[in-house]
């Protein structure tokens, strides 16, 4: 499924307004502080995995990944 | 062998990056942690379909890569951290045979050469209300490829620490010898890359997070792979691609804690560029603790769907301004299945507390270029 321009703009709008959410107190964040709840909780593994995938696919970026440039592989 | 590599390649260093790793309750807290040593080893194998007809049927694209990533993080003060990193690759592919075959009888699929090494050093500073960093890098690898990188990033919490916004810029200047498919070594050519990222991580509920990001990349210069070729009415010619490319990626990630021992993550990325390539990436992963949280299992499933660039064809009937037969720029879908296990509270060597990880993944591509990989990780902190 490909996103239309409208869908992409909606995502951008959500990014601008989502910061208005203010519902979680600091004492409620115990579960969120668990390593398993972090995006890319193992950054070295994520780095190696994306380093392997990026040269073999046309897409780059996102997922806290390396972008283009810097080596002959991408 | 790595010593031999170091003689051939310049050191790349001074890569400054933000250190945003969350403190883990099984290790010293961030305030207590002074150093962290990590090793990640990976073994990747790409097959070329039945009878080597996967991907580009004219070339042998089988490849095996062994990669090692070694990192040492050292805390200099309450706010400053230094990172030293080594990344090395050993590549075995058909291109190695071509590089070593003066008659160039074997068509080339991947970089000429079988070694790549990179050394880097990083520095980061984290303040109470914001984190910022600058980075620069210098790298070199086989095929006479040199790279200089510059970047900056900043992030800060907002909404009473329920969200964190970030912005980053990363630029690279690459220069490399224009080695052609027929063995002719051309002059050095250049490539420029500018990447801009903006993102936000938002706490939604006590059990869920969401992350949104937009990435824009502009590239200029020689953007094709110099040693790649195309066939026009049976005649082999060099790959020709535009000297400019604009690339955008939109990423949405959602994480939900199903229980105190498990979580699920859903990821989506939409990508497009002005070469006509667009793709969708979907991924779901599940994380579950076992054995009193000393083991973390993470199975994952990923689906990738890509439409080719406008200039792609396996064979061309006539010469075009831009032509490529690079299967990584063609039409294909990819499905990968994998699992990763992380083992905490391992005491090795001797009484040193550490964690180990191991992962296995299978990536099935619709064009036959399947990939299998396994990784091993080791981290200790002191």
């Amino acid at each position: 499924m490909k996103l239309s321009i409208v869908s992409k703009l909606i995502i951008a709008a959500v990014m601008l307004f989502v910061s208005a959410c203010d519902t979680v107190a600091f004492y409620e964040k115990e579960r969120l502080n668990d390593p398993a709840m972090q995006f890319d909780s193992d950054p070295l593994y994520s780095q190696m995995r994306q380093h392997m995938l990026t040269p073999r696919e046309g897409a780059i970026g996102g997922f806290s990944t390396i972008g283009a440039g810097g080596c002959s592989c991408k | 062998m790595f010593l031999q590599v170091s003689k051939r390649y310049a050191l790349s260093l001074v890569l400054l990056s933000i250190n945003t790793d969350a403190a883990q309750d099984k290790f010293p807290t961030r305030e207590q942690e002074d150093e962290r040593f990590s090793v990640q080893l990976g073994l990747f194998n790409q097959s070329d379909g039945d009878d080597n007809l996967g991907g580009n049927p004219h070339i042998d694209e089988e490849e095996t890569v062994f990669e090692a990533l070694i990192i040492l993080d050292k805390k200099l003060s309450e706010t400053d951290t230094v990172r030293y990193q080594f990344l090395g690759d050993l590549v075995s592919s058909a291109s190695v045979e071509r590089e070593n075959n003066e008659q160039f009888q074997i068509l080339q699929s991947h970089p000429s050469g079988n070694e790549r090494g990179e050394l880097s050093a990083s520095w980061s500073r984290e303040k109470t209300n914001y984190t910022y960093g600058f980075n620069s890098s210098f790298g070199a690898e086989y095929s006479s490829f040199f790279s200089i990188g510059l970047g900056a990033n900043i992030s800060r919490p907002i909404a009473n620490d329920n969200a964190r916004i970030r912005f980053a810029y990363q630029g690279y200047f690459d220069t490399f010898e224009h080695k052609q498919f027929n063995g002719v070594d051309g002059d050095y050519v250049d490539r420029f890359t500018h990447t801009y990222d903006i993102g936000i991580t938002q706490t939604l509920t006590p059990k869920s997070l969401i992350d949104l990001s937009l990435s824009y990349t502009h590239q200029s210069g020689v953007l094709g792979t110099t040693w790649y070729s195309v066939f026009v009415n049976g005649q082999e010619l060099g790959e020709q691609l535009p000297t400019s490319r604009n690339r955008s990626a939109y990423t949405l990630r959602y994480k939900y804690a199903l229980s105190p021992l498990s979580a699920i993550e859903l990821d989506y990325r939409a990508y497009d560029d002005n070469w006509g390539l667009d793709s969708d990436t979907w991924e779901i992963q599940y994380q579950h603790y076992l054995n009193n949280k000393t083991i973390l299992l993470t199975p994952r499933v990923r689906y990738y769907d890509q439409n080719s660039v406008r200039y792609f064809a396996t064979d061309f009937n006539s010469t075009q301004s831009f032509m490529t037969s690079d299967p990584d720029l063609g039409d294909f879908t990819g499905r990968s299945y994998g699992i990763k296990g992380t083992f905490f509270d391992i005491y090795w060597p001797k009484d040193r507390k550490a964690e180990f990880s191991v992962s296995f993944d299978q990536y099935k591509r619709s064009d036959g270029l399947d990939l299998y990989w396994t990784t091993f990780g080791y981290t200790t902190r002191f």
Side-chain angles (χ1 to χ4, degrees):
Chain A
M1 181 182 78
K2 303 295 187 291
L3 282 187
S4 65
I5 295 296
V6 173
S7 299
K8 294 172 183 176
L9 291 175
I10 291 175
I11 289 178
V14 170
M15 287 185 60
L16 290 175
F17 294 108
V18 71
S19 59
C21 296
D22 185 15
T23 59
V24 182
F26 71 93
Y27 51 83
E28 297 178 296
K29 295 182 180 178
E30 179 180 358
R31 195 170 294 183
L32 297 177
N33 290 330
D34 190 287
M37 279 300 295
Q38 308 305 311
F39 295 111
D40 298 316
S41 58
D42 190 342
L44 293 187
Y45 169 79
S46 298
Q47 177 181 346
M48 179 168 283
R49 181 168 178 256
Q50 293 302 328
H51 190 250
M52 181 275 302
L53 286 173
T54 299
R56 293 169 175 81
E57 296 176 340
I60 61 164
F63 304 130
S64 303
T65 62
I66 53 176
C71 79
S72 65
C73 60
K74 53 184 175 69
Chain B
M1 183 174 295
F2 288 136
L3 286 178
Q4 293 177 344
V5 169
S6 66
K7 290 179 182 178
R8 295 173 59 183
Y9 307 118
L11 300 179
S12 68
L13 61 138
V14 194
L15 175 68
L16 310 182
S17 62
I18 288 180
N19 184 348
T20 59
D21 291 344
Q24 298 188 24
D25 57 0
K26 295 193 175 298
F27 293 91
T29 63
R30 183 170 185 80
E31 289 71 28
Q32 299 169 343
E33 175 182 313
D34 289 324
E35 292 186 356
R36 177 171 56 182
F37 175 76
S38 300
V39 177
Q40 191 83 31
L41 305 177
L43 180 64
F44 314 105
N45 181 71
Q46 176 173 287
S47 62
D48 195 16
D50 296 333
D51 297 325
N52 290 336
L53 294 178
N56 187 336
H58 299 294
I59 61 177
D60 183 353
E61 293 160 293
E62 285 194 12
E63 181 185 38
T64 300
V65 179
F66 173 74
E67 184 166 285
L69 178 62
I70 302 172
I71 289 179
L72 175 64
D73 290 323
K74 185 171 179 60
K75 191 174 180 180
L76 301 179
S77 68
E78 289 300 312
T79 59
D80 293 8
T81 303
V82 171
R83 164 170 288 191
Y84 305 97
Q85 176 173 304
F86 168 76
L87 177 65
D89 292 281
L90 298 177
V91 180
S92 172
S93 73
S95 64
V96 174
E97 298 183 36
R98 181 164 191 165
E99 177 74 355
N100 296 329
N101 183 344
E102 295 183 355
Q103 300 301 319
F104 287 92
Q105 293 300 312
I106 300 175
L107 296 180
Q108 196 159 358
S109 62
H110 283 281
S112 295
N114 56 358
E115 301 166 338
R116 174 179 178 265
E118 175 184 291
L119 292 173
S120 63
S122 312
W123 172 82
S124 63
R125 172 165 289 177
E126 184 174 341
K127 307 288 257 182
T128 302
N129 294 322
Y130 59 92
T131 301
Y132 66 90
F134 300 92
N135 68 78
S136 63
S137 65
F138 176 74
E141 60 182 78
Y142 45 54
S143 298
S144 303
F145 187 103
F146 300 94
S147 174
I148 297 174
L150 288 172
N153 51 72
I154 186 169
S155 69
R156 66 163 295 171
I158 58 174
N160 289 333
D161 211 16
N162 279 303
R164 192 172 190 94
I165 59 173
R166 59 185 186 271
F167 175 79
Y169 164 81
Q170 182 66 49
Y172 285 104
F173 167 70
D174 305 326
T175 184
F176 46 94
E177 195 172 9
H178 198 214
K179 291 179 178 291
Q180 300 184 43
F181 69 96
N182 53 7
V184 174
D185 291 342
D187 296 330
Y188 271 78
V189 293
D190 302 329
R191 178 177 68 189
F192 295 87
T193 304
H194 305 279
T195 301
Y196 306 87
D197 289 281
I198 182 171
I200 182 170
T201 303
Q202 171 76 50
T203 300
L204 295 178
T205 71
K207 296 181 182 180
S208 62
L209 296 167
I210 191 170
D211 184 277
L212 306 172
S213 68
L214 285 83
S215 172
Y216 174 77
T217 298
H218 173 72
Q219 292 184 286
S220 61
V222 177
L223 304 182
T225 306
T226 63
W227 53 82
Y228 277 13
S229 62
V230 298
F231 282 84
V232 182
N233 288 325
Q235 180 185 8
E236 188 179 16
L237 302 174
E239 177 185 71
Q240 297 293 328
L241 285 170
T243 56
S244 175
R245 191 177 189 184
N246 300 322
R247 317 171 75 170
S248 302
Y250 312 83
T251 306
L252 173 64
R253 311 177 78 175
Y254 174 75
K255 198 141 194 176
Y256 181 76
L258 297 170
S259 74
L261 298 178
S262 63
I264 189 169
E265 181 175 329
L266 306 173
D267 298 334
Y268 171 74
R269 175 184 63 184
Y271 169 92
D272 59 28
D273 63 34
N274 64 339
W275 285 7
L277 189 149
D278 61 78
S279 73
D280 294 297
T281 308
W282 300 87
E283 183 165 346
I284 180 170
Q285 63 174 310
Y286 174 74
Q287 292 175 292
H288 192 94
Y289 281 109
L290 299 173
N291 195 31
N292 195 28
K293 280 196 161 184
T294 60
I295 301 173
L296 178 64
L297 291 181
T298 307
R300 70 178 80 227
V301 177
R302 182 178 184 270
Y303 176 78
Y304 181 82
D305 183 9
Q306 174 175 300
N307 292 334
S308 71
V309 299
R310 286 190 293 272
Y311 328 112
F312 174 85
T314 303
D315 293 280
F316 292 86
N317 296 323
S318 61
T319 303
Q320 312 290 323
S321 298
F322 304 119
M323 301 178 290
T324 181
S325 296
D326 181 357
D328 297 330
L329 296 178
D331 285 304
F332 68 87
T333 60
R335 294 177 174 84
S336 69
Y337 313 91
I339 186 168
K340 175 173 177 278
T342 306
F343 305 89
F344 304 101
D345 293 348
I346 304 295
Y347 290 87
W348 186 86
K350 294 185 178 180
D351 58 350
R352 174 160 299 288
K353 190 174 184 179
E355 69 178 61
F356 284 89
S357 69
V358 60
S359 74
F360 302 96
D361 285 82
Q362 178 191 58
Y363 186 92
K364 304 285 287 183
R365 263 174 62 154
S366 58
D367 61 356
L369 296 182
D370 298 337
L371 187 65
Y372 305 85
W373 73 88
T374 183
T375 66
F376 301 92
Y378 169 84
T379 297
T380 186
R381 306 181 189 196
F382 42 94

